[in-house]
Amino acid sequence: MDDTRGTSWNSPWPTVTALHAWLTEQSPVPPEQQTLLRMLKLSEEVGEVAQAVIGATGQNPRKGVSHSWQDVQSELCDVIVTAMVALTTLTPDPGRVFDAHLAKVATRSLGDAGQVVPGAG
């Protein structure tokens, strides 16, 4: 399950924190609106995943095959980054919140096999 072949895992949270700070600094709207807009941004990004899947499968007869599966991968990454920034907007410790939630999902779905020991593997 823990397949990290060919990858080097570094925590994404410092980069996400920097993106969050940059977005906050650049935003012309009050903090309350920023929070709402970041949540809505997720829907926009998910819509782009759907558009890319439709394009990769050629399901729009007018457009044909207009996207690749690499485009879908990229759009999925945008969803993940957007969700991480949104989570950072809601909590000062998004890494802890995410890790705790992921552990609950893994335990619920995988049982004891979902208990990953840090540094193992």
Side-chain angles (χ1 to χ4, degrees):
M1 169 116 196
D2 184 22
D3 186 1
T4 56
R5 290 174 285 178
T7 63
S8 172
W9 179 254
N10 292 314
S11 174
W13 293 109
T15 302
V16 171
T17 299
L19 288 169
H20 175 268
W22 175 76
L23 286 168
T24 299
E25 180 182 297
Q26 297 297 315
S27 180
V29 300
E32 300 80 20
Q33 285 182 319
Q34 289 179 40
T35 299
L36 295 174
L37 291 170
R38 287 189 187 139
M39 302 310 130
L40 291 174
K41 181 72 174 166
L42 279 167
S43 292
E44 178 190 14
E45 295 297 343
V46 169
E48 291 176 10
V49 171
Q51 181 180 22
V53 169
I54 289 168
T57 58
Q59 292 304 301
N60 183 335
R62 186 173 51 81
K63 294 182 181 179
V65 175
S66 59
H67 290 75
S68 69
W69 287 104
Q70 288 75 27
D71 294 327
V72 176
Q73 291 173 12
S74 178
E75 296 300 344
L76 285 169
C77 288
D78 285 348
V79 169
I80 293 166
V81 170
T82 301
M84 292 175 84
V85 170
L87 184 59
T88 302
T89 302
L90 296 178
T91 177
D93 195 354
R96 182 191 54 76
V97 171
F98 179 77
D99 288 349
H101 186 78
L102 182 59
K104 281 191 248 179
V105 170
T107 299
R108 180 177 65 231
S109 301
L110 304 172
D112 288 339
Q115 299 298 321
V116 177
V117 178

